[in-house]
Amino acid sequence: MVSIKIGNLEYCAQLDATGRRVDLNQRPEVTKGTVEYVAPTDYMVRPPMLPVYFFLIDVSITAVRSVMVEVVAQTINSCLDELPGIPRTQIGFATFDSTIHFYNMKMLVVSDLDDIFVPLPDYLLVNLSESRSVVETFLDSLPSMFQDKVNLESAFGPALKAAFMIMVTLKDNDNEMSRRLKKVLEKFRSTDCAYYQLCHLVRQGEHPKEGFFLLSNLFEDQMGANIGYADWMLQISRQVQQA
Amino acid sequence: MAEFLDLESQDGVRMPWNVIPGTKQDAQNAVVPVSAVYTPIKHFTSMPLLNYSPLRCRTCRSVLNPFCIVDFAAKIWICPFCFQRNHFPPHYASISDDSLPAELFPQYTTVEYNSDAVGPTNTPSVPPVFLFVVDTCVIEEEIGFLRSALAQAVELLPENSLVGLITFGMFAHVHELGFGAVPKTYVFKGSKDVTKDQLLEQMSFFAKKPRPAVGVVAGARDGLSTESISRFLVPASECEFTLNSVLEELQKDPWAVPADQRAARCTSTALSIAASLLGACVPGSAARIMAFIGGPATEGPAPIVSKQLSEPIRSHKDLDKDSVPHYHNCVKFYDGLSKQLVHQGHVLDLFACALDQVGIAELKTAVERTGGLVVLAESFGHSVFKDSLKRVFQSGDYDLGLSSNGIFEINCSKDLKVQGIIGPCASLEKKGPLCSDVVIGQGGTSAWKMCGLDKSTSLCLFFDVVRKETPDATMQSTSNQFYFQFLTYYQNNSGQMRLRVTTLSRRWVAGPESIQDLIAGFDQEAAAIVMARQVSFKMETEAEFDPIRWLDKALINLCSRFGEFQKDTPSSFSLSPRLSIFPQFMFHLRRSQFVQVFNNSPDETAYFRMILNRENVTNSVVMVQPSLICYSFHAGPEPALLDVAAIAADKILLLDSFFTVVIFHGSTIAQWRKAGYHNEPEHQAFAQLLLAPHDDSDLIIKERFPVPRLVVCDQHGSQARFLLAKLNPSATYNTESYNPGGDIIFTDDVSFEVFLDHLQRLVVQ
């Protein structure tokens, strides 16, 4: 399989003496069964989502004493150049033991594990290219930060949830289409609280904008609902098409 | 008048009645309560400091004092309060009438015992603690002002003190100043309250050792390690760099605020966390929460208003109509917080700097019960805030004398009972026969906690005379004296424990023949202040209370009883010099901001009343009836009547109303100043005239806390309203003629002359 870039190439070609296209050797799609195209902007609603890498690092006593923290820091540091998506790549870190530690020029500790929240609206994810030196400094100092800590507990579940919350709270969130979908949800919820339900990222409909909306505006609700998930998605889909 | 000031300079006491009505009926007829304004730790140059334990009565626990009867031969002293006979201990063996201990000297009615001189030596003094709670939901410019003010405060902190920092906006951040490598904060959701147990668990106070299974956990002796405590409360000498780094990085709260909403500000959560943090780390030690708040609380357990800008902050009209959805819940929350702080012995100070209200009205309980300071300004860049904060930490001549862990106790004669205290203190619920059933202020007790106090903190004590009038003259008591004893245990700003004892004796009189004696002992300034505190208290605690009617009725009754007049002849009315300016005080009190709340927000009213409830008589009189000084070419500075007639085109007036100092230039003076005459060599006298009121106002501003606002204005200028609002409106647009070059006040209020005329008519009828 080969990838080719489609430009302004003409699709017609002359035949040679044996009856084959003269550009046979330049057009893999006419000789190969499987090909992949790099899509131009005509095929995109908007630029692709920023690549986001969020590292959750266990810093409880077991991890520290087994030198895992040190190895993890070194490994991540050595792989920074290999992360795809540069220069748009976003990167973030959190560590956890009995509490969750976020980083933004300082350590922000969230200790309420029953009601996890993100302590800052932004800057917990940074652009890797622009903040390369800060990231490297952080990774260099990470092992010594927790060298003397004695903490037996490891709150992986809440930490994972926090990472999820950070990654869905991107700056691109505030746009016209996001606001429209939020209004739809708010209207539903104001009429029937059953619409406060867990929302999974699963495509259902055929409309190309539907997936975009869901990707941009992932909502999470803990409340149970008596309405089926599929029905909910169906109504969302209808509203989207009317918008 | 002068003799009352002498009494104050000896004991720190001002009493409306220095000859006390001796029966229940006489006290009721006296109108002004039997009360005292007492300054517990007023500075005296000649007060003896005693380095031994006080001698106390076996029965009532009162302290040996000059009014005790002493039997030198039998080595016995008789308590004047309960008449118990007490034996002197062996080390008083040498006592005789020419060899007296200091506490028996007749002139030493106020003495202080140095508690540290007795008991275990070299007890390590616990350092004072300052926990800053800083609002970050303010504009960048305000953050800058706040940053520099706090940096200066950190420099001025006592060397041995401990410092902590909490910043808050939508969330509360507890800064770990003792963690060196990386700046670190513990973040709490602003919308949730945090209990002390939750705080202990979530801030890893027991990370290295198991938590005690039972009992209340608090302080180092209960399992908390010094190491844990020093993460958050760090010696000032060690954390200056770290703290300044954190302050340098201080930023506006990062959460976006929609255009139709207020910022999310979790004041109540931050204060609750601060209280729990101090309760966990340093219970019982001298500790102050210093809250710097730049706007209304909208988030957490006690918001004063919702985030929606469409909902206005409560006003006095809303309070009167009880259409205040948040107010009562807030007051209840802060009442609980104040109980927690009082139990811990900690102080809540409030620095409110905002163009809008922040919730002082709701916080009043917590600040007042803990003896905290309060400052209200428009901006953190305003001199009222900046200079006031500097004064908190200033030492030397204008040292506030901030002290802590005060306990105040009262003993008094059997025929008196304590009704309560209006002032910065909290009841310790020590019930007993001394307590009156009728309560005013913090009552139902004879002991109070004063977590914070300074050398000018003054309490207003109310007493109930319960002595019955006996029909038989032969049953007259052997004594016509009432005795009072005030005991104040406190820790001064050097960390030393002290016990101050003030013992008073006042003659009582009874019956209709006692009028002249009562008048001779009447201190009308103290009486005015007692009435001011009481009317403010009633306005806050009694629904449907009409302050004007109450004051007027009291004044009429007082004048009816103590004035001289022929019935139905108004012109015959006269008052003794002892009472002659009391109607004037009442006139200005009913026009003051303590009673007229229309033009003020609930926050401003709460602020004014908190200051009134903690200042001494002299300063309080200035709040009720401001002082006015006149400067002119013709004469040196001289006091002027607080009247619009004092305004003249060729004069400068200096008004001191405690919260504001106004320099007012008459129109001619203003013209000359604008023309620049004071810059010409031949008009040196004019330059000096312009300078004189500023010199005097600087003196006032320098020694006062909170620092007053200085207003410089001209006749007919807009800022002149600060002066006009305080003047007696003897000339209004309704009066026929007025002084040329003077001024009129555009008001329908009655003037003092009309007020007095009505008073006379009502008294004589």
Side-chain angles (χ1 to χ4, degrees):
Chain A
M1 185 186 77
V2 298
S3 300
I4 59 174
K5 182 164 290 189
I6 296 179
N8 293 323
L9 298 178
E10 294 290 340
Y11 208 80
C12 297
Q14 298 172 8
L15 301 175
D16 63 7
T18 63
R20 301 194 306 167
R21 294 169 61 103
V22 294
D23 61 354
L24 195 62
N25 294 326
Q26 287 84 45
R27 287 193 174 271
E29 67 266 32
V30 297
T31 58
K32 299 291 194 293
T34 303
V35 297
E36 185 174 283
Y37 294 88
V38 175
T41 55
D42 293 345
Y43 287 81
M44 299 178 185
V45 179
R46 61 178 179 81
M49 294 287 284
L50 301 172
V52 176
Y53 296 88
F54 200 87
F55 294 92
L56 285 178
I57 302 170
D58 186 341
V59 292
S60 61
I61 188 170
T62 306
V64 170
R65 289 186 179 170
S66 65
V67 199
M68 188 272 284
V69 175
E70 191 173 339
V71 172
V72 163
Q74 288 172 9
T75 306
I76 295 173
N77 212 338
S78 65
C79 293
L80 291 178
D81 288 329
E82 309 301 325
L83 293 181
I86 295 176
R88 297 180 66 234
T89 306
Q90 298 235 307
I91 192 169
F93 298 90
T95 58
F96 60 95
D97 40 35
S98 65
T99 57
I100 303 168
H101 325 117
F102 301 91
Y103 295 90
N104 167 48
M105 310 304 293
K106 62 185 177 183
M107 185 193 290
L108 299 113
V109 179
V110 172
S111 49
D112 187 357
L113 303 181
D114 296 326
D115 188 3
I116 204 68
F117 61 95
V118 174
L120 288 175
D122 43 37
Y123 305 119
L124 294 175
L125 288 166
V126 296
N127 182 279
L128 178 53
S129 301
E130 294 167 7
S131 306
R132 180 58 175 262
S133 61
V134 175
V135 170
E136 285 174 352
T137 303
F138 167 76
L139 290 169
D140 288 341
S141 60
L142 184 60
S144 60
M145 267 192 237
F146 296 95
Q147 202 60 50
D148 300 322
K149 294 294 189 272
V150 180
N151 200 314
L152 297 171
E153 300 169 24
S154 179
F156 176 62
L160 185 60
K161 184 172 172 179
F164 184 70
M165 293 167 72
I166 289 173
M167 294 172 79
V168 302
T169 315
L170 296 177
K171 291 180 187 176
D172 295 338
N173 193 41
D174 189 23
N175 54 56
E176 181 56 35
M177 287 179 281
S178 301
R179 283 192 288 268
R180 282 159 66 184
L181 181 56
K182 280 173 178 167
K183 281 181 186 171
V184 171
L185 284 174
E186 283 164 12
K187 183 162 176 60
F188 276 132
R189 288 171 175 172
S190 64
T191 57
D192 188 349
C193 63
Y195 288 104
Y196 285 89
Q197 66 172 359
L198 199 60
C199 174
H200 294 289
L201 181 58
V202 179
R203 284 211 56 185
Q204 285 276 342
E206 296 302 317
H207 198 288
K209 290 190 174 181
E210 181 183 318
F212 167 77
F213 283 159
L214 293 171
L215 276 168
S216 300
N217 303 279
L218 196 59
F219 288 91
E220 179 179 15
D221 299 282
Q222 297 298 326
M223 199 182 293
N226 52 26
I227 190 172
Y229 170 77
D231 291 335
W232 184 81
M233 290 298 298
L234 185 59
Q235 294 189 53
I236 287 287
S237 179
R238 288 174 182 155
Q239 288 290 330
V240 165
Q241 291 178 32
Q242 292 170 27
Chain B
M1 174 61 176
E3 60 267 51
F4 303 137
L5 294 177
D6 287 342
L7 291 174
E8 183 178 32
S9 64
Q10 176 171 331
D11 290 313
V13 178
R14 293 284 292 270
M15 300 177 86
W17 300 107
N18 291 276
V19 176
I20 297 176
T23 67
K24 198 175 196 45
Q25 189 57 48
D26 285 319
Q28 278 170 14
N29 292 339
V31 182
V32 176
V34 174
S35 48
V37 180
Y38 177 56
T39 310
I41 59 169
K42 185 180 167 69
H43 177 67
F44 298 116
T45 51
S46 58
M47 180 187 66
L49 177 62
L50 311 179
N51 290 313
Y52 47 87
S53 293
L55 220 55
R56 308 188 74 138
C57 174
R58 302 203 311 266
T59 305
C60 67
R61 304 290 300 153
S62 64
V63 173
L64 182 67
N65 60 80
F67 305 107
C68 299
I69 298 170
V70 179
D71 184 338
F72 297 107
K75 298 295 186 270
I76 281 170
W77 63 280
I78 300 175
C79 174
F81 298 98
C82 67
F83 308 112
Q84 170 70 44
R85 294 159 61 90
N86 297 283
H87 291 273
F88 282 106
H91 57 276
Y92 278 74
S94 62
I95 192 173
S96 67
D97 50 4
D98 54 11
S99 174
L100 291 175
E103 62 266 37
L104 284 176
F105 277 42
Q107 69 269 30
Y108 288 154
T109 47
T110 293
V111 298
E112 193 157 282
Y113 294 86
N114 185 359
S115 306
D116 283 346
V118 194
T121 54
N122 296 329
T123 308
S125 72
V126 186
V129 181
F130 297 89
L131 178 53
F132 298 117
V133 178
V134 180
D135 181 357
T136 55
C137 281
V138 291
I139 61 175
E140 291 292 341
E141 190 183 30
E142 291 290 313
I143 289 274
F145 291 141
L146 198 43
R147 192 183 294 135
S148 57
L150 288 170
Q152 186 179 56
V154 168
E155 276 181 34
L156 293 171
L157 283 172
E159 195 70 19
N160 67 329
S161 56
L162 301 180
V163 191
L165 175 66
I166 293 175
T167 55
F168 70 95
M170 181 181 279
F171 297 141
H173 294 242
V174 184
H175 291 252
E176 201 186 67
L177 301 172
F179 186 65
V182 173
K184 185 175 179 182
T185 67
Y186 284 75
V187 189
F188 294 88
K189 214 168 207 186
S191 53
K192 296 174 68 176
D193 197 12
V194 185
T195 67
K196 197 171 82 175
D197 280 346
Q198 284 172 328
L199 199 83
L200 288 168
E201 181 172 356
Q202 294 182 13
M203 290 174 67
S204 311
F205 274 101
F206 297 105
K208 292 197 174 180
K209 63 172 74 172
R211 178 184 180 145
V214 295
V216 175
V217 177
R221 68 173 183 272
D222 289 324
L224 257 65
S225 65
T226 306
E227 186 183 357
S228 278
I229 293 168
S230 64
R231 286 189 295 149
F232 303 104
L233 300 175
V234 184
S237 50
E238 293 176 20
C239 77
E240 187 161 349
F241 176 78
T242 306
L243 191 52
N244 279 323
S245 301
V246 173
L247 292 176
E248 280 302 311
E249 294 297 320
L250 212 59
Q251 296 291 325
K252 185 180 185 312
D253 196 54
W255 299 93
V257 183
D260 60 341
Q261 285 189 16
R262 297 182 171 90
R265 187 185 268 101
C266 65
T267 307
S268 51
T269 302
L271 293 177
S272 180
I273 290 170
S276 295
L277 182 63
L278 291 179
C281 295
V282 285
S285 299
R288 309 187 79 93
I289 298 169
M290 305 189 85
F292 301 85
I293 305 183
T298 55
E299 182 81 88
I304 71 163
V305 69
S306 84
K307 291 197 191 72
Q308 299 300 321
L309 282 170
S310 56
E311 180 190 324
I313 296 184
R314 80 260 171 289
S315 67
H316 275 295
K317 206 188 315 165
D318 300 325
L319 286 169
D320 291 343
K321 294 186 299 186
D322 202 27
S323 62
V324 280
H326 306 280
Y327 180 78
H328 299 292
N329 177 66
C330 273
V331 171
K332 188 179 175 186
F333 175 85
Y334 286 120
D335 193 52
L337 185 73
S338 73
K339 285 189 172 71
Q340 179 186 349
L341 286 167
V342 167
H343 182 71
Q344 295 168 186
H346 297 149
V347 183
L348 174 58
D349 296 326
L350 180 55
F351 297 85
C353 302
L355 292 174
D356 206 346
Q357 303 179 64
V358 311
I360 298 177
E362 287 82 354
L363 274 155
K364 181 173 185 283
T365 300
V367 177
E368 212 155 47
R369 297 276 181 275
T370 61
L373 309 168
V374 63
V375 176
L376 177 61
E378 290 164 354
S379 162
F380 289 113
H382 202 277
S383 65
V384 167
F385 166 73
K386 292 199 301 187
D387 293 340
S388 294
L389 183 64
K390 195 189 301 180
R391 292 227 43 220
V392 171
F393 299 105
Q394 200 170 347
S395 51
D397 284 344
Y398 301 114
D399 185 358
L400 292 186
L402 289 182
S403 303
S404 52
N405 282 316
I407 292 180
F408 181 76
E409 290 182 17
I410 294 179
N411 273 307
C412 54
S413 294
K414 232 194 304 291
D415 290 324
L416 291 165
K417 289 188 186 300
V418 183
Q419 288 183 287
I421 293 179
I422 295 181
C425 62
S427 167
L428 281 174
E429 310 287 336
K430 184 188 175 189
K431 303 195 185 299
L434 234 58
C435 306
S436 170
D437 294 332
V438 182
V439 168
I440 299 179
Q442 292 285 294
T445 181
S446 62
W448 292 261
K449 181 82 179 190
M450 301 177 76
C451 302
L453 64 168
D454 59 62
K455 62 189 184 186
S456 71
T457 299
S458 300
L459 305 168
C460 185
L461 325 172
F462 290 85
F463 297 95
D464 198 9
V465 181
V466 296
R467 195 175 157 277
K468 295 293 192 290
E469 189 150 19
T470 55
D472 195 345
T474 60
M475 294 182 63
Q476 187 82 349
S477 170
T478 55
S479 168
N480 65 343
Q481 299 288 323
F482 280 147
Y483 297 98
F484 308 82
Q485 190 171 78
F486 307 139
L487 298 94
T488 311
Y489 306 83
Y490 70 102
Q491 182 179 357
N492 67 15
N493 52 357
S494 304
Q496 297 166 347
M497 296 302 299
R498 297 289 176 85
L499 165 60
R500 180 176 293 206
V501 182
T502 293
T503 316
L504 310 172
S505 165
R506 294 287 190 270
R507 183 164 64 97
W508 61 263
V509 290
E513 320 82 46
S514 63
I515 298 284
Q516 293 307 315
D517 289 323
L518 291 173
I519 290 175
F522 188 68
D523 179 351
Q524 52 198 330
E525 286 190 348
I529 287 349
V530 167
M531 296 298 275
R533 287 206 193 192
Q534 198 175 6
V535 75
S536 293
F537 176 75
K538 280 176 170 290
M539 285 180 79
E540 288 181 359
T541 54
E542 295 180 20
E544 312 300 328
F545 176 72
D546 186 340
I548 299 291
R549 178 178 295 272
W550 185 80
L551 287 172
D552 287 350
K553 193 173 167 208
L555 182 58
I556 290 165
N557 289 341
L558 186 78
C559 293
S560 297
R561 179 154 191 85
F562 296 101
E564 293 180 356
F565 55 90
Q566 296 167 33
K567 190 160 171 58
D568 294 325
T569 313
S571 59
S572 68
F573 178 81
S574 72
L575 283 171
S576 151
R578 292 286 200 222
L579 283 92
S580 59
I581 57 173
F582 189 74
Q584 201 169 308
F585 283 137
M586 292 301 101
F587 172 73
H588 288 290
L589 174 58
R590 74 210 284 284
R591 285 176 21 104
S592 73
Q593 69 267 47
F594 306 111
V595 173
Q596 300 294 336
V597 300
F598 173 75
N599 202 35
N600 289 323
S601 65
D603 271 18
E604 284 169 318
T605 302
Y607 168 66
F608 296 138
R609 289 176 177 165
M610 272 196 275
I611 302 296
L612 173 72
N613 285 350
R614 74 176 286 128
E615 281 298 334
N616 58 32
V617 167
T618 303
N619 284 338
S620 299
V621 164
V622 169
M623 296 179 210
V624 170
Q625 180 172 313
S627 80
L628 192 64
I629 300 178
C630 176
Y631 303 77
S632 68
F633 284 116
H634 322 301
E638 58 189 10
L641 271 185
L642 194 64
D643 193 301
V644 67
I647 295 178
D650 59 344
K651 292 177 180 173
I652 304 176
L653 297 174
L654 175 65
L655 176 87
D656 177 12
S657 65
F658 191 86
F659 302 102
T660 308
V661 174
V662 182
I663 297 177
F664 173 97
H665 301 98
S667 52
T668 301
I669 301 282
Q671 285 170 28
W672 292 345
R673 191 193 69 233
K674 284 164 185 162
Y677 288 155
H678 56 292
N679 295 323
E680 297 169 7
E682 62 267 29
H683 293 104
Q684 273 298 303
F686 182 58
Q688 284 161 21
L689 181 67
L690 287 182
L691 212 59
H694 283 273
D695 292 340
D696 290 347
S697 69
D698 284 349
L699 284 179
I700 294 169
I701 288 168
K702 194 178 302 177
E703 67 178 20
R704 181 166 296 166
F705 182 91
V707 172
R709 172 181 176 179
L710 177 63
V711 175
V712 183
C713 60
D714 300 333
Q715 192 174 356
H716 310 308
S718 68
Q719 299 279 70
R721 67 183 189 275
F722 288 101
L723 172 70
L724 298 179
K726 297 294 181 182
L727 299 178
N728 170 34
S730 62
T732 71
Y733 67 97
N734 277 324
T735 56
E736 294 306 319
S737 65
Y738 60 95
N739 189 25
D743 212 329
I744 63 166
I745 299 183
F746 206 77
T747 182
D748 286 326
D749 288 353
V750 299
S751 69
F752 179 60
E753 292 71 31
V754 174
F755 176 80
L756 204 59
D757 186 57
H758 278 96
L759 174 64
Q760 289 173 6
R761 292 177 197 276
L762 289 165
V763 166
V764 303
Q765 75 187 15

